[in-house]
Amino acid sequence: MPLSPIKKLAEAIESEADRVALSTASPILLGPRASATMRRIMRLTLLTALLLAAASPLSLLLPKPYALILPVVSILLALTPYILPMAWRLVLAHEVSRELPSLLSYALPYSAGPKYLANVLAAAPREFFPWFEWEADRLRFLLDLGHDPITALKELASTTPSRRLREILLDYVHSQEIGSPKSQVTLSLLEEAVNETRSQWRSYIDLGRGLVEALTATVLASVVLAPLSLLSGYSGAPAVLVAAILSLVSGILLVMTRPNLGEVEVGVYYTLGALLAAIISSLATYISGALAGLAVLAIAAGLYEHLHKRFSRIEEEALSALREAAAGAKYGRFLEDHLSRAVPVASRSIKALIKALGYAGKIGAAEALSSILRIVESAKEAVHSARGQGLVLTGLATVIPAVSIYIVKAIASIGSTGQMPGLGAEGLEAMASLILAVSPLIPIPGTVLWRGRVPSLIPSLAALSSSLLVTRL
């Protein structure tokens, strides 16, 4: 019996999706779960692209700017099966690298036992390593294919999108092949964890520095180019608004990419609350005047300073408890209460360690706790470096709005003398008022780099106060 055209079309789409998935989303590359999900998405996007392409002639009935919508969307959907797996692997590489220090901490108690690292990683708890779970799924798939642990790790290393995970796995495989002693393997894992922690914080500091410098350049450029914009009949307001948006986006980006080790892990909602307070202050300044904005910031700044002191105290107590737990383990005393109180300073690492010790036994507890302590203290040094550089950059960003307003006023005074005809004083005053309104937003990226997920709003308060002072001079 001949197949219906619709069934033929469905089979053709399924065949094409499977063909593309075989090269870009195979279970070996993505794991069984991710591969199955990608195949379903590919079939859906290909079917949608085909339907839109068939409907494209109807777009000719639309006005010219909209006539290209259906063809362009259908092309993008047709390209999705090729782009989506690459995008997924890029995201996975970043997130897996962020989990590596905690993951290695979890593996340390097993390194002195008979288990292979492949079996340990394949059983890594999903609740602590949600992103590595996708790689663990691939590893389990390779082991189920009949590969021995070393071969499975080699295959995982050759196909993982995370460069650091690849290097760590290959180092481990090499140590196994040359017959390195267990103590050397443990030391190697520890060094990898410490180096990865430092590397993550260095990259984070570089990102924060780059964002703050870009924001500073944007604000100053908008001011310096203001005369040209006004003489050309354009307002300088868009550039100032771009700087404000860039500040908010940079602050959110720095929060989302901040490493998890070395300080108390708190919810992102604390940062969102600080951003909201700065936005409300900015709007209040623009609508009701600077005094309203100052009142909002004064209240919010006091609240966030209280929160910072509270979390700093928790951080100190947790680090002290971790030191006591590590010291006790050296003398054969496993201080579970101290270890539980140390959770805030390295939540994933310590919770994963507690779970690992439950399976691996407490024979390697002393070495594992000493290793965790070294990793956390290494991260703590990196946090101090980030806070120091963040404080300097915050200071720079705090004075930028006031300096910008001063420059605008200087340009306005030159225009009032008639040396630059056509330069309207009203346009410059409006620009100065806009800079005043967005001034609480400018220090946000620097304060996130400085204070982390509980940023200080004192720099925003200082930026608005100093900008108001310069405005009224």
Side-chain angles (χ1 to χ4, degrees):
M1 184 176 179
L3 294 173
S4 66
I6 295 178
K7 192 171 183 180
K8 285 182 179 180
L9 178 62
E11 289 184 352
I13 290 173
E14 186 171 350
S15 175
E16 178 62 18
D18 289 342
R19 187 190 67 79
V20 175
L22 188 62
S23 59
T24 62
S26 69
I28 292 178
L29 283 176
L30 299 183
R33 287 193 302 129
S35 178
T37 303
M38 288 291 177
R39 284 170 186 258
R40 286 193 289 268
I41 293 173
M42 286 175 181
R43 290 168 188 165
L44 180 62
T45 54
L46 286 174
L47 176 60
T48 308
L50 187 61
L51 293 175
L52 290 177
S56 291
L58 297 176
S59 64
L60 297 175
L61 301 175
L62 299 173
K64 279 189 177 180
Y66 306 103
L68 294 176
I69 291 178
L70 287 180
V72 170
V73 171
S74 64
I75 292 172
L76 291 176
L77 287 173
L79 292 175
T80 299
Y82 303 92
I83 297 172
L84 191 59
M86 291 189 292
W88 167 251
R89 284 172 63 82
L90 286 174
V91 173
L92 188 64
H94 178 263
E95 295 299 330
V96 166
S97 295
R98 291 188 68 199
E99 290 181 353
L100 274 180
S102 299
L103 182 67
L104 293 172
S105 302
Y106 166 77
L108 282 170
Y110 294 100
S111 60
K115 271 196 170 186
Y116 282 104
L117 183 63
N119 305 107
V120 174
L121 296 181
R126 183 177 183 177
E127 64 266 30
F128 303 134
F129 313 111
W131 287 97
F132 181 77
E133 167 61 21
W134 296 99
E135 293 293 81
D137 187 45
R138 284 205 305 131
L139 184 55
R140 289 190 293 268
F141 176 74
L142 293 170
L143 291 170
D144 290 341
L145 287 178
H147 293 305
D148 62 84
I150 296 299
T151 304
L153 286 180
K154 280 184 178 179
E155 183 67 29
L156 183 67
S158 65
T159 53
T160 181
S162 171
R163 180 183 59 82
R164 286 295 296 136
L165 179 60
R166 182 185 308 116
E167 293 172 354
I168 291 169
L169 293 179
L170 290 176
D171 286 346
Y172 175 81
V173 167
H174 178 69
S175 68
Q176 290 294 310
E177 289 177 338
I178 64 175
S180 298
K182 293 288 186 180
S183 59
Q184 185 63 37
V185 174
T186 303
L187 182 61
S188 175
L189 289 176
L190 172 59
E191 290 301 324
E192 294 285 2
V194 171
N195 292 336
E196 182 60 26
T197 301
R198 291 172 177 168
S199 174
Q200 286 186 12
W201 276 104
R202 278 197 300 269
S203 299
Y204 178 76
I205 292 170
D206 291 341
L207 174 64
R209 187 188 304 116
L211 289 174
V212 174
E213 290 173 354
L215 178 62
T216 301
T218 302
V219 175
L220 290 177
S222 67
V223 172
V224 172
L225 297 176
L228 294 177
S229 300
L230 293 172
L231 288 172
S232 302
Y234 297 101
S235 169
V240 178
L241 293 176
V242 166
I245 294 171
L246 177 62
S247 178
L248 291 173
V249 172
S250 299
I252 293 172
L253 180 61
L254 287 174
V255 168
M256 300 306 295
T257 58
R258 194 172 181 91
N260 294 318
L261 280 171
E263 57 188 2
V264 175
E265 297 181 32
V266 299
V268 180
Y269 49 84
Y270 285 103
T271 314
L272 296 179
L275 294 179
L276 182 61
I279 292 171
I280 292 173
S281 172
S282 181
L283 292 174
T285 301
Y286 187 75
I287 296 170
S288 304
L291 293 180
L294 287 171
V296 172
L297 282 178
I299 295 171
L303 173 63
Y304 271 81
E305 288 306 304
H306 171 73
L307 288 173
H308 174 68
K309 288 181 181 178
R310 175 188 165 199
F311 286 123
S312 295
R313 185 170 61 254
I314 293 173
E315 184 179 308
E316 291 174 4
E317 291 174 355
L319 190 57
S320 176
L322 180 59
R323 290 188 179 117
E324 290 177 17
K330 287 181 180 179
Y331 297 101
R333 294 182 295 117
F334 186 66
L335 306 176
E336 293 189 29
D337 177 61
H338 287 71
L339 196 55
S340 298
R341 287 193 285 112
V343 164
V345 81
S347 177
R348 288 185 187 177
S349 297
I350 295 175
K351 287 180 180 178
L353 176 64
I354 293 173
K355 188 163 187 174
L357 291 173
Y359 290 110
K362 298 180 175 60
I363 297 174
E367 293 78 5
L369 284 173
S370 297
S371 301
I372 288 280
L373 180 59
R374 183 179 168 190
I375 293 169
V376 171
E377 288 184 334
S378 175
K380 191 67 180 172
E381 292 174 5
V383 169
H384 285 314
S385 176
R387 288 176 178 174
Q389 296 195 42
L391 181 59
V392 173
L393 293 171
T394 300
L396 173 64
T398 300
V399 301
I400 284 297
V403 171
S404 301
I405 292 173
Y406 181 82
I407 294 173
V408 170
K409 292 190 69 174
I411 294 172
S413 65
I414 294 174
S416 65
T417 61
Q419 296 181 25
M420 297 179 69
L423 189 62
E426 291 183 1
L428 290 170
E429 288 177 5
M431 188 172 183
S433 298
L434 187 58
I435 294 173
L436 174 67
V438 303
S439 60
L441 305 177
I442 303 303
I444 291 295
T447 59
V448 172
L449 181 61
W450 170 30
R451 286 277 186 87
R453 293 184 176 88
V454 188
S456 173
L457 287 170
I458 289 179
S460 294
L461 182 63
L464 181 57
S465 301
S466 57
S467 299
L468 178 63
L469 181 62
V470 173
T471 301
R472 295 188 175 179
L473 285 178

